[in-house]
Amino acid sequence: MYSSTGNDGRLDNRQGRYFFLIMFLMTILLFILSFRLGYYDIPTKDVLKVLFAKIYPIKHTWPDEYEVIIINLRLPRIIAAMLVGAALSMAGAVYQGMFQNPLASPDILGVSSGAGFGAALAISMGLSYQYVQVSAFVFGLGVVGVAYSLAGRIRYGQIISLILAGAILGSLCSAGITLLKYLADTVDRLPAITFWLMGSLASVYFDELYIAIIPMMIGLVIIVVMRWRINVLTLGDEEARSLGINPRNIRLLVITGATLLSASAVCIAGIIGWIGLIVPHIIRYFTGPEYSRLIPGCLLGGAFFLLVVDNLARTLSTMEIPLGVLIAIVGAPFLLNLIIQEREW
């Protein structure tokens, strides 16, 4: 882990407050500016008026189409970007601590592959978008549940067994996705499956958010409440037992929370990689490995990061660029730099 000296990026209490204040203000500013981005330009003062009018009645001085664009189109997408980014980054930070591996990410137990298979199956059956989301969520959770059950039958340590079981099931789900794409209708179903797997927020509306918000909030509460015990688990099982903590039960609870976050994020936006790997390392550089700071830092940092990427995805070209493509362009060089420098985290 990073040392506790002030020169390695870890902040003292006063610097920490400044860091979170700056991150919070930057996120709020980006939230407001994001409403202006798009094919239809809307002045900032009208954006603020429309948003404020939903809280407190004010005089209607803006065109009606502004309200439709802001509330029905851009607001759910912006909220979705912030929720998905925060969820994936927090889950990544938790998995990196649980498995004591700086390269761990939210799909380490196969949740992304399982959710991808569930979504591809629902799309190939011609189900509506809401059923695609539900199928993705159920299969994502199911794969992790099966992986945890199989880990008890593998004769290695719990951490290694979980990783092996997740890798095996993830590979199986990836094969299933390939088979479904091979059998899918090339005119309609195959493009839909491919687009969903690349990750996007283009089709997100409030109805889609309602499906995922409850399990996402449950996962968030679990992670926030257990953040102190995550610190202990990062020291190893023996140290945890010496402090009177049952590492197996705590790890199961924490993994459940992180999996709820990951599965909810995937069912909203499709498969979006790298966020759970990139953002925790960036935030950890500023806050240190202490999870009482790392978790809220990842919440703000993940929301900010994905909102930036989503804004770029819908403004860089006349055709929307899939989020997975843009993030991979950033993530691959970051991972290479991490490996070359061999930073101790």
Side-chain angles (χ1 to χ4, degrees):
M1 294 185 179
Y2 293 121
S3 64
S4 58
T5 62
N7 296 324
D8 64 353
R10 185 169 179 174
L11 307 176
D12 59 30
N13 289 333
R14 185 177 64 179
Q15 291 173 325
R17 287 193 293 269
Y18 288 151
F19 171 77
F20 287 114
L21 177 61
I22 292 172
M23 280 296 305
F24 177 77
L25 294 177
M26 288 175 58
T27 303
I28 294 298
L29 178 61
L30 181 63
F31 173 81
I32 296 173
L33 292 178
S34 296
F35 286 98
R36 295 203 55 180
L37 301 177
Y39 181 78
Y40 201 98
D41 184 37
I42 301 176
T44 302
K45 61 181 180 63
D46 290 323
V47 170
L48 296 175
K49 287 179 181 179
V50 171
L51 294 176
F52 188 74
K54 293 299 178 181
I55 303 174
Y56 185 83
I58 60 176
K59 184 178 180 180
H60 193 291
T61 60
W62 55 87
D64 292 337
E65 59 266 24
Y66 281 9
E67 186 165 353
V68 174
I69 294 172
I70 292 173
I71 301 301
N72 296 339
L73 299 179
R74 294 183 182 175
L75 180 59
R77 178 164 186 162
I78 291 170
I79 292 176
M82 298 177 70
L83 288 176
V84 170
L88 291 176
S89 60
M90 285 190 294
V94 169
Y95 283 131
Q96 288 166 11
M98 289 295 94
F99 298 111
Q100 301 175 29
N101 185 344
L103 300 181
S105 61
D107 59 354
I108 191 172
L109 297 182
V111 61
S112 295
S113 299
F117 176 77
L121 181 63
I123 293 173
S124 65
M125 295 172 61
L127 301 180
S128 65
Y129 188 75
Q130 285 76 15
Y131 286 105
V132 172
Q133 284 188 295
V134 172
S135 180
F137 181 78
V138 170
F139 274 86
L141 286 183
V143 167
V144 176
V146 173
Y148 202 90
S149 299
L150 291 177
R153 301 174 180 270
I154 300 177
R155 297 182 179 180
Y156 295 101
Q158 186 185 29
I159 294 176
I160 299 298
S161 299
L162 276 171
I163 294 175
L164 287 174
I168 293 170
L169 292 173
S171 178
L172 184 62
C173 289
S174 296
I177 293 173
T178 302
L179 178 61
L180 289 173
K181 291 171 69 176
Y182 177 76
L183 298 175
D185 174 32
T186 57
V187 176
D188 184 25
R189 307 286 167 77
L190 180 58
I193 294 174
T194 302
F195 184 75
W196 193 93
L197 294 175
M198 288 190 294
S200 175
L201 295 169
S203 301
V204 174
Y205 300 98
F206 281 118
D207 289 342
E208 285 73 34
L209 285 179
Y210 295 150
I211 295 175
I213 193 68
I214 293 179
M216 186 176 287
M217 291 300 103
I218 293 174
L220 173 64
V221 170
I222 292 174
I223 297 304
V224 171
V225 171
M226 303 298 294
R227 65 189 185 279
W228 301 106
R229 289 178 172 81
I230 299 176
N231 287 323
V232 178
L233 291 183
T234 59
L235 301 175
D237 289 359
E238 293 300 325
E239 288 79 2
R241 292 190 185 94
S242 68
L243 295 174
I245 293 177
N246 187 325
R248 184 179 181 86
N249 293 341
I250 298 300
R251 184 174 290 114
L252 174 61
L253 182 59
V254 171
I255 289 177
T256 299
T259 302
L260 284 172
L261 288 174
S262 303
S264 301
V266 172
C267 82
I268 292 175
I271 297 179
I272 302 177
W274 298 102
I275 294 180
L277 175 62
I278 297 173
V279 176
H281 282 288
I282 296 174
I283 299 299
R284 191 181 286 112
Y285 178 79
F286 291 102
T287 66
E290 173 64 47
Y291 274 82
S292 62
R293 294 182 175 184
L294 182 60
I295 292 300
C298 285
L299 187 151
L300 290 173
F304 182 86
F305 180 83
L306 189 56
L307 190 53
V308 169
V309 174
D310 186 54
N311 287 338
L312 293 175
R314 59 192 179 95
T315 57
L316 285 179
S317 173
T318 54
M319 295 182 62
E320 183 168 325
I321 303 173
L323 291 176
V325 174
L326 281 180
I327 297 176
I329 293 174
V330 177
F334 178 87
L335 178 59
L336 181 61
N337 179 68
L338 183 69
I339 294 173
I340 291 175
Q341 293 190 11
E342 295 182 342
R343 285 180 181 246
E344 185 182 5
W345 70 296

